[in-house]
Amino acid sequence: MTFDWANIVGLIGSTLFLAAFAYANAAPKMDKVLFNAANLVGAALLLASLSVHFNLAVVVLELCWGVIALIGLVQAIRARKASRP
């Protein structure tokens, strides 16, 4: 394994996933915008890494993860705007 930019970017994406997961389990009240944004950026970073070190199964996983995070982010932003006076 080489320690190149793709691996560094992938590790940052993985760290974002883990941080979001830890946050979701530790926060008394979760901010869905923050949670979904971290997951979306993490998925994008991992997809960038996978463009160099391709793995089909992980690409499919990250695409699905990113789509779910994007939908959740849009819903969270809409809910936040709707709750403002």
Side-chain angles (χ1 to χ4, degrees):
M1 181 177 94
T2 59
F3 199 67
D4 56 7
W5 71 266
N7 283 319
I8 294 168
V9 167
L11 287 170
I12 293 169
S14 295
T15 301
L16 279 171
F17 281 156
L18 292 172
F21 184 66
Y23 165 71
N25 284 282
K29 185 173 187 237
M30 185 175 70
D31 180 344
K32 289 186 177 183
V33 171
L34 177 62
F35 175 75
N36 284 300
N39 276 287
L40 181 58
V41 172
L45 291 174
L46 278 161
L47 283 168
S49 173
L50 289 164
S51 72
V52 175
H53 304 291
F54 186 78
N55 179 323
L56 180 60
V58 181
V59 167
V60 171
L61 173 68
E62 295 310 321
L63 285 171
C64 293
W65 197 294
V67 168
I68 292 167
L70 180 60
I71 292 167
L73 181 60
V74 169
Q75 290 175 344
I77 290 170
R78 286 181 179 164
R80 183 177 282 179
K81 286 181 181 179
S83 69
R84 289 186 185 160

